[in-house]
Amino acid sequence: MSLKLYHFPISGPSRGALLAARSIGVPIKVEIVDLFKKEQLKESFIKLNPQHCVPTLEDDGFVLWESRAIACYLADKFARDDQLYPKDLERRAVVNQRLYFDSSSLYVKIRAICFPILFLGETEIKQNLKDDLNTTLGFLEQFLSGNKWVAGDSVTIADTSIYSSLSSILAVGWDISKFPNIERWVKDCASLPGYEENEEGAKAFGEAVKKNLKQ
Ligand SMILES: N[C@@H](CCC(=O)N[C@@H](CS)C(=O)NCC(=O)O)C(=O)O
């Protein structure tokens, strides 16, 4: 088996794919693509992934990108059982809903705040972007009401995906004290395999954002 993940630790989506792989427990070779050095634009990488983004997975010649698609693929192919990505139609549908929620809502709101600060010279977070993210966190708070994990009683790849997104903005110093279910779940996420590795990348992300923020 030769499984390789092209990865950049500062990237939330990239950490999401790796955190899923760590929970699945599949051995995976990690190759760093330094986005700050524009390594994703190297000819060899564009040949592999014309969309030149991380994470990108290579599995014996099969190439896949999009962090959540990678998590689903790895769970389906390598997980010991179906807990992380249930086969039951309805339970899987809820996991998928949470994954789409992350990809189309939570991650998007976090990116809308951080991208302009990291790359466009913005030094403040606009109030409407703060409100947008807090509204979205309100939905996550509801998903976690009466549930230990975001899609029910057991940990799934929805947790690894959403946690990797959320950990980026937590590292910027986001206040989640109004969301007690999220606070409790964030503490529980410390039990995820690969948690420390994720925290390191999130911390570097948070520092890069905070450096550009007006104090
Ligand atoms: N929706 C994608 C987002 C991937 C993405 O935008 N990756 C960024 C880093 S966060 C990237 O590789 N950017 C470099 C580029 O597009 O050239 C996923 O979840 O994998």
Side-chain angles (χ1 to χ4, degrees):
M1 181 181 66
S2 114
L3 206 53
K4 191 195 274 187
L5 189 73
Y6 295 88
H7 173 63
F8 189 49
I10 284 176
S11 154
S14 204
R15 280 184 279 109
L18 192 57
L19 200 55
R22 299 305 190 210
S23 277
I24 291 159
V26 63
I28 193 163
K29 183 169 183 268
V30 172
E31 186 164 320
I32 301 295
V33 178
D34 189 333
L35 302 185
F36 288 155
K37 292 187 184 151
K38 300 249 175 261
E39 286 179 357
Q40 81 276 24
L41 300 180
K42 278 186 181 167
E43 205 183 322
S44 55
F45 190 66
I46 290 185
K47 223 182 212 172
L48 199 70
N49 172 358
Q51 208 180 316
H52 52 77
C53 53
V54 294
T56 296
L57 179 78
E58 208 178 1
D59 178 14
D60 268 329
F62 172 67
V63 179
L64 185 68
W65 56 96
E66 283 298 335
S67 55
R68 297 158 196 90
I70 292 171
C72 293
Y73 173 81
L74 291 177
D76 274 337
K77 185 163 177 186
F78 299 106
R80 280 169 230 109
D81 55 36
D82 77 342
Q83 184 198 294
L84 285 165
Y85 195 36
K87 298 256 188 286
D88 173 82
L89 198 58
E90 290 188 4
R91 290 184 56 216
R92 176 170 283 225
V94 174
V95 173
N96 287 339
Q97 182 269 319
R98 306 306 199 233
L99 290 171
Y100 288 115
F101 162 79
D102 181 27
S103 123
S104 64
S105 196
L106 181 63
Y107 171 69
V108 174
K109 314 285 174 176
I110 293 170
R111 189 179 187 276
I113 289 172
C114 299
F115 188 87
I117 297 168
L118 277 175
F119 299 112
L120 304 177
E122 199 71 73
T123 57
E124 282 176 329
I125 305 174
K126 294 201 171 68
Q127 191 58 45
N128 67 316
L129 298 181
K130 285 186 186 170
D131 294 344
D132 255 12
L133 176 56
N134 283 330
T135 300
T136 303
L137 290 175
F139 300 133
L140 180 59
E141 177 73 5
Q142 284 179 36
F143 301 159
L144 285 161
S145 164
N147 284 324
K148 180 161 167 59
W149 298 100
V150 297
D153 288 343
S154 41
V155 66
T156 68
I157 53 171
D159 294 285
T160 49
S161 180
I162 291 179
Y163 184 70
S164 66
S165 297
L166 189 68
S167 61
S168 298
I169 198 74
L170 291 179
V172 176
W174 205 261
D175 177 15
I176 55 164
S177 60
K178 286 197 185 77
F179 306 106
N181 295 328
I182 299 180
E183 278 192 313
R184 186 260 308 151
W185 169 78
V186 163
K187 286 195 190 116
D188 289 345
C189 285
S191 66
L192 295 173
Y195 170 83
E196 291 300 339
E197 184 180 37
N198 179 78
E199 294 312 282
E200 258 176 55
K203 188 166 175 250
F205 175 88
E207 275 161 12
V209 173
K210 284 190 288 190
K211 190 168 56 114
N212 294 350
L213 269 179
K214 212 162 39 196
Q215 292 309 314

